[in-house]
Amino acid sequence: MPDRRCVDDLTIEELEQILLIKRREARRQRLRRYAARGWLSEEAPILSEQSERQEARESLVHPRSSSLAQPPPAESETGRFRSISMEPLGEQPGKSGRESLPEQEVNYRSQPAVRPDTLIGRLYPEARMRVLEDPALARMKVGVLGRWLNVQLEPEGPQGWIAAWYVTDHAPVPEGPPPLTRVRVQSEIGLNVRAGPSTSTKKIWHVPDGTVLDVLEDPQGAAAKIGVHGEWVHVRTPSLHEGYVAAWFLSADVPPDNRRPAVDAVLPFGECAWIFGIHGVGVNETRDFRHLFQGSGKTGWALFTEGIGRSPSSLGPDAHRRNRLWQWARGGYGIIIRLNYGYHTAGTLPESQHYEAFAATCARYAELYLKHPEEDSRKYTWTIVIGNEQNNPREWPREGHPPEPITADRYAHAFNLAYRAIKGVLPNARVVPGAVDPYNAELQRPLDYFLQMLEGIEELDGFALHTYTHGPDVDLITTLKKFTDDPIKDHYYDFQAYRPFVEAIPPKWRDRPVYITETNHWTKKDGSLGWENRNIGWVRAAYEEIHRWNSTPHTRQIHCLLLYRWQGDEWAIDIKDQVQVDFKMALSKDYRWRR
């Protein structure tokens, strides 16, 4: 039979191992017993093997110390645990002192010291304890670093110690759910907004699935209605339409919006964090307007519009064009290039039989002037807009014949071809559909055209929009005036026209950026076209409105608002010094999109 050795024959390491096993088993039995009685959390911490070995070694080599005022190590009680609170028991028979209630799990120790060997376990939330020391002295310890409270788990549980610096002298106030201020549409086909709380009342608007709505009634009453058939909630949509929606198609699950303003330094070349910008003309023709940004500590966006035809071979190397684009991008400016077939009677797109040739020409442009094989593609991007206001008859091709309408379906087909062709040579480009004219209903209600166009588009990287006011009045930036005639009488007449289009973006593309590539006050005070050369604050008010939109929780972010335009027509800003002053004053604001 094997030799049996006495304790004196064992080495320190062997004794340490025996003690480690016995202590581990004793600790587990004690924790199971306490948990079974409801005193401790069932997920009480188990010491690491290293801590257990250290504890066993200390018990063999020297007696344990018991510091009564040992402050917590950096990683001891903090981080995982919150405070507990104490409340008076009153004159209850057989009890003295005060009772404690943890708000969240907190360490429970056999001695007033933060060491592995003193840890009994974790107190589960709302475990009841009785303070064993003088109430007046206990109150003096509350919240004091390094002080401890001697307590006993109720009923008749083990005595122990808790850190007084995690204790408050009042009972925890139960936190109810936050007030219901926003709800989310939960319906694949969207949801009607009605004039009253009934399906028999007039339909005044429609919002897509996932839209977050502001609650306009008592939050508590609204919360009780969510998901209940037959109930209605009074709401406001992102497009500022107010009415009633069916509560059984709503969800109260609206997560917090934790997006923060974009940081320009971490964005790729060709993108910009600030929303300020100017609409130029051709890349080689646009006179430099970057002096407007000098001294502001900011950059902005520039749009260049190019007529490229429909023959790829007609485009050749152009060092000036290429270098100029890269110079602007490397200078911290966001760059948008709008590619058109032509202008005026040529049309923003060619006739439909030439869409494939136009797409190939778009790809050739990207390859010649935008692609940089020596540069890491993650470090730069370009926003490429295909066409312009394609729903407006003045943009349709009509050279020598009646114009061919660019219907929503035709445009979607042309865009899909261009998107695939450009991505084939420049995958890091952002390819965006042309902006719909929000005020022209000659072919179709603008919002219907927009939605039908999106239904036919396979993939896209963002959205271009236009919005204006009909006159230089600053109040027209925020007015909710609408058209008076069908089929456009539910469309906003002035600057707020952008809101319904952003709101209508389908859920699958809700994270794509929005670019407002044209804005101005369409007419002067006398009714003629162009900017008033007066610093009336119109530019500042326009940027403030877009910043207000971007700052609203859960809104799709607008990355830029571009003033139309720098040179070349009635709206030329390069000869309007007071409009430039207005723009420079707007630059004093920290208006950035969020991400």
Side-chain angles (χ1 to χ4, degrees):
M1 62 184 298
D3 293 337
R4 298 183 63 182
R5 294 181 292 171
C6 64
V7 172
D8 292 341
D9 296 328
L10 298 177
T11 65
I12 289 291
E13 288 74 15
E14 290 171 325
L15 288 171
E16 177 185 312
Q17 182 65 25
I18 293 171
L19 281 173
L20 185 151
I21 294 171
K22 289 183 176 295
R23 285 181 181 277
R24 180 182 295 168
E25 182 58 30
R27 185 187 304 278
R28 286 175 174 166
Q29 289 180 3
R30 184 170 67 250
L31 292 177
R32 282 195 293 268
R33 185 169 64 253
Y34 289 168
R37 296 188 182 186
W39 290 332
L40 297 178
S41 167
E42 293 183 2
E43 297 183 357
I46 301 298
L47 295 180
S48 67
E49 184 172 338
Q50 181 179 359
S51 298
E52 288 183 318
R53 287 187 181 278
Q54 178 64 27
E55 180 183 335
R57 184 175 293 111
E58 288 177 352
S59 69
L60 289 169
V61 177
H62 55 77
R64 298 185 180 117
S65 62
S66 179
S67 172
L68 296 180
Q70 183 177 351
E75 298 296 328
S76 59
E77 316 292 279
T78 59
R80 293 178 298 170
F81 309 115
R82 292 181 182 171
S83 65
I84 66 170
S85 62
M86 300 188 303
E87 58 183 352
L89 284 175
E91 300 298 327
Q92 298 186 31
K95 292 194 176 182
S96 62
R98 295 175 179 268
E99 194 171 67
S100 303
L101 294 172
E103 293 178 342
Q104 189 167 322
E105 290 186 359
V106 64
N107 285 342
Y108 190 50
R109 298 186 178 276
S110 61
Q111 297 181 43
V114 180
R115 292 200 315 269
D117 62 291
T118 67
L119 184 60
I120 297 174
R122 290 204 298 260
L123 301 179
Y124 60 82
E126 299 184 2
R128 307 192 73 83
M129 297 173 293
R130 184 161 57 93
V131 177
L132 299 178
E133 51 192 280
D134 180 83
L137 293 176
R139 184 174 293 278
M140 294 175 63
K141 296 181 181 180
V142 169
V144 179
L145 183 67
R147 304 306 297 272
W148 297 81
L149 290 172
N150 190 200
V151 297
Q152 181 179 18
L153 284 169
E154 293 278 294
E156 304 304 325
Q159 297 183 18
W161 298 81
I162 54 174
W165 56 94
Y166 297 123
V167 172
T168 60
D169 60 356
H170 59 273
V173 178
E175 293 185 6
L180 186 68
T181 58
R182 294 184 176 90
V183 292
R184 179 171 51 84
V185 175
Q186 200 167 32
S187 169
E188 291 184 0
I189 60 173
L191 192 58
N192 290 331
V193 181
R194 295 190 175 275
S198 169
T199 54
S200 63
T201 60
K202 180 183 177 182
K203 172 190 168 183
I204 59 177
W205 199 243
H206 184 86
V207 290
D209 184 30
T211 303
V212 175
L213 309 171
D214 292 332
V215 174
L216 299 182
E217 61 181 74
D218 173 61
Q220 187 173 359
K225 298 177 182 179
I226 301 302
V228 179
H229 191 83
E231 295 287 355
W232 296 78
V233 179
H234 191 203
V235 299
R236 179 173 53 238
T237 75
S239 60
L240 304 181
H241 290 86
E242 296 184 8
Y244 293 83
V245 292
W248 58 99
F249 291 116
L250 297 178
S251 170
D253 181 19
V254 181
D257 184 348
N258 297 319
R259 294 174 296 180
R260 306 295 300 167
V263 177
D264 204 53
V266 302
L267 297 176
F269 297 136
E271 194 172 15
C272 181
W274 289 284
I275 66 173
F276 310 101
I278 305 286
H279 185 300
V281 288
V283 173
N284 286 342
E285 294 75 33
T286 298
R287 292 188 286 273
D288 201 334
F289 53 76
R290 284 175 288 183
H291 62 276
L292 296 176
F293 294 86
Q294 289 180 359
S296 69
K298 301 177 179 68
T299 55
W301 293 80
L303 182 146
F304 302 104
T305 177
E306 302 269 77
I308 62 173
R310 55 178 173 83
S311 174
S313 61
S314 67
L315 300 181
D318 185 336
H320 183 266
R321 173 176 276 105
R322 178 180 174 84
N323 292 339
R324 196 151 196 249
L325 284 167
W326 277 94
Q327 182 189 48
W328 279 73
R330 286 200 170 100
Y333 287 82
I335 305 299
I336 301 174
I337 303 105
R338 193 179 76 206
L339 299 181
N340 312 271
Y341 166 64
Y343 302 104
H344 309 300
T345 59
T348 192
L349 296 182
E351 293 176 327
S352 55
Q353 61 182 318
H354 301 300
Y355 283 173
E356 289 189 4
F358 174 68
T361 310
C362 291
R364 179 64 173 162
Y365 184 99
E367 186 173 31
L368 283 173
Y369 313 128
L370 306 180
K371 189 174 182 178
H372 199 314
E374 294 78 27
E375 191 75 67
D376 185 343
S377 62
R378 294 171 298 180
K379 294 183 179 179
Y380 72 96
T381 189
W382 309 93
T383 300
I384 303 174
V385 178
I386 306 300
N388 178 61
E389 294 193 348
Q390 53 272 11
N391 64 316
N392 191 318
R394 72 167 180 265
E395 297 286 352
W396 298 346
R398 56 185 184 277
E399 292 177 305
H401 54 75
E404 179 187 72
I406 305 177
T407 64
D409 293 337
R410 279 182 178 147
Y411 179 82
H413 176 56
F415 179 81
N416 290 335
L417 293 171
Y419 185 93
R420 291 195 294 266
I422 293 171
K423 289 288 192 174
V425 299
L426 194 63
N428 53 313
R430 291 180 176 173
V431 187
V432 176
V436 170
D437 184 339
Y439 308 111
N440 189 287
E442 293 179 67
L443 176 65
Q444 191 176 2
R445 177 175 175 260
L447 197 55
D448 289 341
Y449 184 100
F450 180 72
L451 292 173
Q452 185 176 336
M453 176 188 77
L454 294 182
E455 286 180 4
I457 288 177
E458 298 164 356
E459 186 55 278
L460 51 72
D461 302 319
F463 299 87
L465 300 177
H466 292 170
T467 196
Y468 314 89
T469 64
H470 292 85
D473 186 348
V474 173
D475 290 339
L476 298 181
I477 298 289
T478 54
T479 184
L480 299 182
K481 177 183 177 181
K482 295 180 180 178
F483 284 86
T484 57
D485 299 323
D486 285 330
I488 200 173
K489 64 181 181 181
D490 60 351
H491 282 46
Y492 290 126
Y493 185 70
D494 288 293
F495 195 91
Q496 293 294 312
Y498 78 91
R499 284 181 177 259
F501 287 86
V502 185
E503 179 187 83
I505 293 172
K508 64 179 178 180
W509 290 323
R510 68 174 65 253
D511 295 327
R512 302 293 196 273
V514 177
Y515 309 92
I516 300 182
T517 55
E518 288 189 16
T519 193
N520 58 33
H521 59 74
W522 189 251
T523 58
K524 300 176 185 177
K525 191 173 182 179
D526 62 8
S528 61
L529 300 178
W531 287 95
E532 289 270 9
N533 191 24
R534 294 186 294 133
N535 179 11
I536 58 175
W538 190 98
V539 175
R540 278 167 283 162
Y543 281 113
E544 182 181 8
E545 164 64 17
I546 299 305
H547 177 67
R548 182 162 45 245
W549 168 276
N550 281 344
S551 301
T552 302
H554 307 288
T555 51
R556 296 162 175 86
Q557 292 295 285
I558 297 173
H559 285 214
C560 65
L561 176 71
L562 307 186
L563 304 187
Y564 181 90
R565 74 179 182 169
W566 181 238
Q567 66 192 67
D569 60 16
E570 297 92 337
W571 292 274
I573 300 171
D574 65 335
I575 56 174
K576 305 284 196 316
D577 62 318
Q578 292 306 300
V579 177
Q580 295 179 35
V581 171
D582 198 358
F583 180 78
K584 290 178 181 179
M585 293 177 72
L587 287 173
S588 66
K589 301 295 185 179
D590 185 18
Y591 292 161
R592 290 176 285 165
W593 50 274
R594 295 183 300 132
R595 61 187 306 203

